[in-house]
Amino acid sequence: HVQLVESGGGSVQAGGSLTLSCTTSGYTYSSYCMAWFIETPGKEREGVASIDSDGTTHYTDSVKGRFTISQDNAKNTLYLQMDSLKPEDTAEYYCAADFLQYCTTTRLTYWGQGTQVTVS
């Protein structure tokens, strides 16, 4: 039974940093891709960063150079380090995973419950 649990959201001033965590259980990292998505009112859920099953990382243009996705296999945890935060980064952040090589769409099987990030 695969479970994903996000943590680390909160409120921060513009220019600040936050680190989101996604603790996983029920599978091994080597067979999964993982990703972080955001959702804001009135907009479709969209991806911001993903990590392929081979470890290759991808970022949407708006977060390149500011966000870093990584995973710690020993701790079964996916991270999103967010630096130089902007008010437009305010959103509900979700981690997701699937038995695929790439996690670049929202049509993924496993999702966390979300964690709110507010930048003012």
Side-chain angles (χ1 to χ4, degrees), residues 88-101:
E88 50 263 44
D89 295 321
T90 296
E92 187 82 7
Y93 283 70
Y94 296 87
C95 68
D98 210 327
F99 283 112
L100 300 170
Q101 183 176 1

Side-chain angles (χ1 to χ4, degrees), residues 10-115:
S11 296
V12 64
Q13 291 189 337
S17 298
L18 279 176
T19 301
L20 304 183
S21 300
C22 176
T23 302
T24 66
S25 61
Y27 68 94
T28 58
Y29 275 106
S30 61
S31 60
Y32 265 75
C33 62
M34 298 196 73
W36 289 97
F37 291 80
I38 60 170
E39 189 171 282
T40 55
K43 291 187 176 181
E44 294 185 357
R45 192 172 293 186
E46 60 180 304
V48 293
S50 65
I51 187 163
D52 299 342
S53 59
D54 67 357
T56 303
T57 58
H58 308 275
Y59 299 92
T60 193
D61 286 346
S62 63
V63 307
K64 283 180 180 176
R66 301 189 299 120
F67 290 11
T68 303
I69 188 171
S70 63
Q71 60 189 33
D72 184 332
N73 291 352
K75 295 182 179 180
N76 290 339
T77 303
L78 179 75
Y79 300 100
L80 186 67
Q81 174 68 39
M82 304 185 294
D83 299 317
S84 302
L85 282 161
K86 304 175 181 180
E88 50 263 44
D89 295 321
T90 296
E92 187 82 7
Y93 283 70
Y94 296 87
C95 68
D98 210 327
F99 283 112
L100 300 170
Q101 183 176 1
Y102 309 111
C103 277
T104 53
T105 78
T106 58
R107 295 186 296 274
L108 303 176
T109 303
Y110 305 107
W111 292 84
Q113 82 287 354
T115 186

